[in-house]
Amino acid sequence: MDSKNKLFSAEFIAINLIVFLNYCNIALFFYFSQYLASIGISGDWSGFLIAIFSLVILLIRPVISPFSNPENSRTWLIASTFAIMVALLCYGWALDVISMTLVRIFHGVAYVVMTVAITSRMVASIPVEKSSLAFSIVSVISLLPYAMVPPGVVYATDALGSFPRALGLGALLMGLTFPLLALIPDPEDTRGKSRQSGLSASEMKKNLMDVGIIVVLLVAVVVWTTYAPVFFFLTKFGDSIGVANPGLFFTISSLAEIGIRLVGGRFMDRGNKPILLMAAVSWLGVCYFVMGWFIQSEYPFYVMGLLMGLGWGLVMPLLSSIVFDISEPRFRAFNTNITFQMFQLGFFIGPIAGTVLIQSGGFSMLFIAGSSVLFLSAILALGVFRRHPVSH
């Protein structure tokens, strides 16, 4: 961060590589529900065991976020990386609901500490005038594991003989975080700068009363809540309509997301971000509607992966960028962490609501419900932003 306008510093690159490793340890669990069935855990518990991870993050992130800052983040990263490695190794002995719940809770705690720490460091390395480009890059890096890891998990599981051994390989890869930390300055390197204190309760309350922040958080919850059931139950939907390899949906959608973010990152910084956000959310609403009513065969299924990927590719960096732009500098790390918190809220609500919707009316009901809430959130946000325009 020698230059205020420099984005591609050694620190920013190291941060993105750590973000990549962190998301790899989440993408490893694409086939988690199938693994639970293979060790005799009832399908009735799969939604809970998936969701408990996000519930832990929901409870802990707001508590620890006010205390995280660029100065202490490196220490947090060291501790949380070690804890994640231990957690991944522990899945091998968790063979019932109770032990698996304990491992999921421990893994969730380690993951949220790491995510909060890397987010705090990341926002301090981003120039204000390049926020959309920066978050587009970060979101591309966070997407790569979803395109690369799921097929790799299948191969590693077959080659190593079990899913827990594949997770053990993931634990070794997480260890690459430690050498990357050498590119992130020690806390002593910032001794000449004023150190940040934690945010007070009154400051956080005042910050979260900002109508713009509230609206973006609501839209984020809706986007992630509708995304999570697609991620966790898409294999079953693909199987139900005769798709040979449903996992290719996410490979295609991830590539589409990466492409549009690489192309559009700079342009988003120059455009009307709230209007772009509402257009992207509405686009997703259309895609979910089509998915629910018209997709009954393999090739249209893959086409929808492309189209939905374009929508997700725009929405996610726009959410982070708008929050970054409208936040006071002191609140940027906290607000960005809370925006990412909406990811976990969506991944908690989504699998549970998705299970209920699928059991009640099948996959059509799941996608139509998703379409409805996406359209409603776009209308609500558009109305609010017309009265309270976003400014840099």
Side-chain angles (χ1 to χ4, degrees), residues 44-383:
D44 294 338
W45 285 101
S46 62
F48 168 78
L49 290 171
I50 290 169
I52 189 66
F53 183 90
S54 294
L55 178 61
V56 169
I57 297 169
L58 281 171
L59 295 175
I60 294 178
R61 192 169 202 155
V63 175
I64 67 174
S65 290
F67 303 100
S68 177
N69 56 59
E71 284 98 9
N72 64 22
S73 59
R74 195 168 184 272
T75 301
W76 287 31
L77 285 169
I78 293 171
S80 58
T81 298
F82 178 75
I84 287 174
M85 294 172 69
V86 172
L88 290 172
L89 294 173
C90 285
Y91 278 90
W93 64 261
L95 301 176
D96 54 42
V97 172
I98 294 176
S99 59
M100 186 62 77
T101 299
L102 292 175
V103 172
R104 293 290 283 169
I105 290 172
F106 177 64
H107 190 186
V109 171
Y111 171 82
V112 70
V113 172
M114 184 174 202
T115 305
V116 167
I118 199 63
T119 301
S120 297
R121 197 70 188 223
M122 177 181 66
V123 297
S125 69
I126 296 175
V128 175
E129 65 276 10
K130 296 180 180 177
S131 62
S132 287
L133 175 60
F135 283 110
S136 292
I137 292 168
V138 173
S139 60
V140 165
I141 297 300
S142 67
L143 270 175
L144 288 174
Y146 293 99
M148 299 165 56
V149 172
V153 172
V154 176
Y155 175 79
T157 299
D158 292 340
L160 298 174
S162 71
F163 180 66
R165 289 179 181 176
L167 294 182
L169 178 60
L172 290 176
L173 292 175
M174 280 300 300
L176 295 174
T177 299
F178 295 120
L180 288 170
L181 289 173
L183 298 174
I184 297 178
D186 287 324
E188 293 81 29
D189 295 338
T190 60
R191 281 180 300 183
K193 302 177 183 178
S194 59
R195 298 185 65 85
Q196 297 182 21
S197 60
L199 300 176
S200 68
S202 60
E203 285 179 311
M204 288 187 288
K205 180 179 178 181
K206 180 181 178 182
N207 170 62
L208 291 175
M209 291 299 289
D210 186 309
V211 67
I213 297 292
I214 293 171
V215 169
V216 174
L217 295 181
L218 287 173
V219 174
V221 170
V222 170
V223 170
W224 289 116
T225 298
T226 54
Y227 176 87
V230 178
F231 180 77
F232 287 113
F233 302 124
L234 187 79
T235 299
K236 292 181 181 178
F237 174 65
D239 290 341
S240 73
I241 60 174
V243 174
N245 188 353
L248 283 176
F249 178 99
F250 276 106
T251 300
I252 294 169
S253 68
S254 296
L255 291 174
E257 290 182 60
I258 290 168
I260 198 165
R261 289 172 186 177
L262 290 176
V263 172
R266 295 181 185 275
F267 296 102
M268 283 188 272
D269 277 320
R270 302 171 191 165
N272 187 316
K273 295 179 186 179
I275 295 297
L276 288 172
L277 176 64
M278 297 310 102
V281 171
S282 299
W283 173 265
L284 284 174
V286 172
C287 290
Y288 276 67
F289 181 83
V290 172
M291 197 80 161
W293 282 109
F294 300 107
I295 303 304
Q296 294 296 325
S297 59
E298 187 168 29
Y299 293 109
F301 175 84
Y302 293 140
V303 170
M304 290 309 300
L306 171 65
L307 298 179
M308 293 173 85
L310 294 175
W312 289 325
L314 288 173
V315 164
M316 295 168 188
L318 281 169
L319 287 168
S320 298
S321 179
I322 291 172
V323 165
F324 184 92
D325 289 348
I326 65 180
S327 298
E328 296 178 23
R330 178 165 167 75
F331 296 118
R332 278 182 183 147
F334 176 76
N335 287 341
T336 302
N337 266 309
I338 294 301
T339 304
F340 292 162
Q341 173 83 335
M342 299 304 101
F343 167 88
Q344 298 302 335
L345 181 57
F347 266 57
F348 173 69
I349 298 172
I352 295 173
T355 300
V356 173
L357 289 167
I358 292 169
Q359 290 176 345
S360 301
F363 288 100
S364 292
M365 180 173 286
L366 172 69
F367 288 115
I368 297 305
S371 175
S372 300
V373 294
L374 284 164
F375 279 125
L376 287 174
S377 68
I379 293 169
L380 170 66
L382 184 60

